[in-house]
Amino acid sequence: MKKAILFLVSMFIAIVSCAQSSPVYKMYRTQNYHNQLRLNTMTGEVLQIQDDGQSWTICTAREVSGEKEGRFCLYDTQNIWTFIMLDTYTGKNWQVQFSVKGEDYMFAAPINIFSLAYPETTSNWTNRFQMFKTQNMWTFILLDSYNGRLWQVQYSTQDLDNLMIVPINKYELVSDNERCIFSIQPLTSMYQYYLINDSTGDMWKFQWSTKGDDYRWIEKFK
């Protein structure tokens, strides 16, 4: 009886572990039904896969060592040819463009080239950096879910010089934390959100803007 129980427990643990593990390769559907994107979630390499068997490299490996599954992810945008790739460990991100016109139209352009966090080789972060769409098709919000820092991310299909990332809240609200405790929720105004510490219930209200730094702010609820 004990052996049967131990066997069932070990099977349950194995099933849970498999369910929680991230795939090394992940496919993303595009709005062009002949093409999908295949992401190596460990390295950030992106391939465009066409249903006739052809494939092209859009983005070469960003993290050559590639030791952590699920480190990289893709976010679709309202532009059918454009995705945003995020390194969830460092906060770096790229505008990834696929195309049916040829390789000259396929590229990965850096939006943020600077690390916003510095993982150690032993770090096993999960979804530390997260991106959220806004009602403005060109704007995303980047959240460090471990300490509450926020940035406004801007992409563009017209002029790559307009790619940018600017801070909304550049200060850590908590320190020495290595799990997701912060989330954001939209308000009625398309420019305003709540930032919530899901562990303590503390809340902040913040605003992003395309008008400049004077229109971006964050304040804590008393």
Side-chain angles (χ1 to χ4, degrees), residues 77-96:
T77 71
Q78 293 184 48
N79 181 282
I80 70 171
W81 310 108
T82 305
F83 285 72
I84 305 297
M85 183 172 74
L86 173 66
D87 180 348
T88 64
Y89 272 51
T90 65
K92 294 180 180 179
N93 45 64
W94 297 261
Q95 178 174 323
V96 175

Side-chain angles (χ1 to χ4, degrees), residues 18 22 28 48 50 58 60 62 76 93 122 131 145 157 161 180 182 189 196 198 201 205 208:
C18 289
S22 301
Y28 289 82
Q48 178 177 331
Q50 196 161 281
I58 299 177
T60 56
R62 306 288 98 170
D76 64 339
N93 45 64
T122 56
M131 295 190 76
S145 68
T157 58
D161 290 334
C180 299
F182 285 92
S189 169
I196 305 168
D198 296 323
K205 184 178 179 180
W208 66 270

Side-chain angles (χ1 to χ4, degrees), residues 31-44:
Q31 295 184 50
N32 180 287
Y33 56 84
H34 290 299
N35 290 274
Q36 296 188 59
L37 301 186
R38 191 188 76 173
L39 170 68
N40 184 324
T41 66
M42 297 175 72
T43 68

Side-chain angles (χ1 to χ4, degrees), residues 92-146:
K92 294 180 180 179
N93 45 64
W94 297 261
Q95 178 174 323
V96 175
Q97 203 88 10
F98 79 99
S99 178
V100 295
K101 295 181 178 180
E103 294 183 70
D104 291 342
Y105 297 88
M106 304 171 186
F107 61 84
I111 302 175
N112 173 38
I113 62 174
F114 301 106
S115 293
L116 303 175
Y118 299 91
E120 300 177 355
T121 55
T122 56
S123 298
N124 193 26
W125 297 341
T126 302
N127 295 326
R128 172 167 184 162
F129 288 94
Q130 304 171 20
M131 295 190 76
F132 299 84
K133 295 179 180 178
T134 70
Q135 293 183 48
N136 180 306
M137 68 175 290
W138 309 109
T139 305
F140 282 73
I141 294 170
L142 176 64
L143 166 68
D144 185 337
S145 68
Y146 284 19

